[in-house]
Amino acid sequence: MNQYAVVFLTWGEQYIKEVYSCITRSEKYLAGYDKVLITDGDTHIDDNDGQFTHVIRAEFKQQGLLRKTELHEYLPDTYAGYLLLDSDTVIVEDISLGFKKAEIHGIAASPAPHYSLDHFWGFDLVMKKEGVSTIGQLQYNTGVIFFKNKPRVKEVFKKWGLLGRSYQDEFTNDQPFFTLAMEQLEFNPYTLSISYNYRGFGEFISGDVRIWHSHGSMPEKINEYESAWPPRRAWPGRVEHAEQGDSGKLRSILRKFMRCLRRFTRPKPV
């Protein structure tokens, strides 16, 4: 088997353009990896530059996001592992940890911003039907998944597909089914930080963002900072450093408090 392949599963002209943009902007970190595109039979692919090692035309059985749950049916079985990327991603910094942890644990992924599985837009109803307790399980984001090509991992992806088909008339988002599949199979992935799948919703950033995941524009200076703490936050097109936001205000208040505390606790001259 070869090493890892980078996989995109998408369709439609707009999203194919995003894939090419991702490959171009992430070239420093994706160079040397085979690229696999899984798409439908209608989307036109003009791959004159030969970006893709494989273009796989899938006969999807489902619509919309649930097509991602069919991934296992179309993956070429010639690689040791894969990195699944959504079309609206950009790799900003080194991501080798994801591959290393997938080697050890089978799957490595980041939490979703809406991280509570049982509170994800009524998904608790699906969990209850499956006999899974709603006790605050973490939800993983499916826009960035590092995974190995081995039987135990394949079970997770097949279960993902089965759940997607079973509830396609009740829930049309692929993401919670992926976490539910791991929950039911008692599969423990490696949990990467949100830096490996940063959505640009204003989540706190400690250190470097490694993968930007948003249709919105990535701020140019997203990884320019003097100190990692207090954390900064980012939205499409802008970064808010702690000194400008709530964390900075809190730090200022704490400094004043400490000055007052020292003043009142200083030993009095005898």
Side-chain angles (χ1 to χ4, degrees), residues 9-26:
L9 191 156
T10 194
W11 58 94
E13 183 178 349
Q14 174 187 346
Y15 301 108
I16 297 298
K17 287 181 179 178
E18 285 188 346
V19 170
Y20 278 110
S21 175
C22 171
I23 293 173
T24 300
R25 298 172 69 188
S26 309

Side-chain angles (χ1 to χ4, degrees), residues 20 23-24 33-36 47-53:
Y20 278 110
I23 293 173
T24 300
Y33 291 105
D34 285 1
K35 283 92 176 171
V36 178
D47 192 33
N48 293 327
D49 295 334
Q51 293 280 16
F52 299 110
T53 311

Side-chain angles (χ1 to χ4, degrees), residues 114 116-125 139 170-171 173 176:
H114 198 330
S116 184
L117 183 64
D118 53 343
H119 288 281
F120 188 74
W121 309 116
F123 194 71
D124 59 313
L125 298 178
Q139 181 181 195
E170 300 176 47
F171 211 88
N173 191 313

Side-chain angles (χ1 to χ4, degrees), residues 40-52:
D40 61 11
D42 300 321
T43 299
H44 174 68
I45 307 297
D46 185 9
D47 192 33
N48 293 327
D49 295 334
Q51 293 280 16
F52 299 110

Side-chain angles (χ1 to χ4, degrees), residues 47-92:
D47 192 33
N48 293 327
D49 295 334
Q51 293 280 16
F52 299 110
T53 311
H54 304 281
V55 175
I56 298 170
R57 296 289 184 172
E59 296 181 2
F60 292 115
K61 303 174 185 66
Q62 300 187 75
Q63 298 298 317
L65 293 174
L66 287 179
R67 287 182 171 183
K68 286 180 71 175
T69 68
E70 301 178 45
L71 175 68
H72 69 282
E73 298 183 30
Y74 302 104
L75 276 177
D77 198 32
T78 53
Y79 295 95
Y82 310 86
L83 166 58
L84 176 66
L85 287 177
D86 272 2
S87 62
D88 58 336
T89 54
V90 180
I91 301 177
V92 188

Side-chain angles (χ1 to χ4, degrees), residues 239-258:
V239 177
E240 180 182 275
H241 289 268
E243 290 74 15
Q244 302 170 346
D246 297 337
S247 297
K249 293 176 183 177
L250 177 59
R251 188 169 65 175
S252 177
I253 291 171
L254 287 173
R255 281 200 298 261
K256 291 178 182 178
F257 173 76
M258 292 304 294

